[in-house]
Amino acid sequence: MSHPTGLSPEAVDALHRLKDQRDVNTVILHCAPAPHALEVELVGNLTHEELLQALPPDAARLVVHELAFATREGSRRHETVLIQWAPAEAGGQEEPCTEGYAALKEFLTDTRMHLTAGQKDQLDYRRLVALNG
């Protein structure tokens, strides 16, 4: 993994922890306007409902979440999801998050699912599982 511009050392540590140690399944990053640094807001082991509750209704965020689900065949799977949370009420906060989102896509090379959402229903658990195939 290369080191993206604007990612704080704490954010890099949190993402490595999610990937390597598996004691957390969610990292939420705050997108600071200047110098466009991504800072850790939350590192935790959240249920899907807790993840949705942690998203502010009026502020943009970047989320890296380990989605756990069962396939149709019954086997357990985990897929990392990169989410750009951009509610309409966030106003001008989207630019730093868009830049951070692009940097995280490059940093998280093994993450195949990237999506942008502005409403919590777009992050419905069943929808995310279906998108994972």
Side-chain angles (χ1 to χ4, degrees), residues 25 44 61 75-76 83 96 106 112 132:
N25 68 353
R61 294 291 184 268
S75 62
R76 300 289 300 158
I83 302 166
E106 291 181 26
R112 296 185 311 247
N132 268 291

Side-chain angles (χ1 to χ4, degrees), residues 42-97:
L42 181 141
V43 176
N45 192 8
L46 305 181
T47 65
H48 190 73
E49 285 302 314
E50 290 169 334
L51 167 63
L52 295 179
Q53 290 172 5
L55 296 173
D58 59 352
R61 294 291 184 268
L62 292 173
V63 179
V64 182
H65 179 69
E66 189 77 19
L67 181 69
F69 59 98
T71 66
R72 289 184 181 154
E73 296 79 29
S75 62
R76 300 289 300 158
R77 281 195 45 206
H78 296 268
E79 289 291 334
T80 304
V81 181
L82 172 58
I83 302 166
Q84 181 176 5
W85 174 247
E89 295 81 7
Q93 300 174 17
E94 291 150 2
E95 182 183 337
C97 274

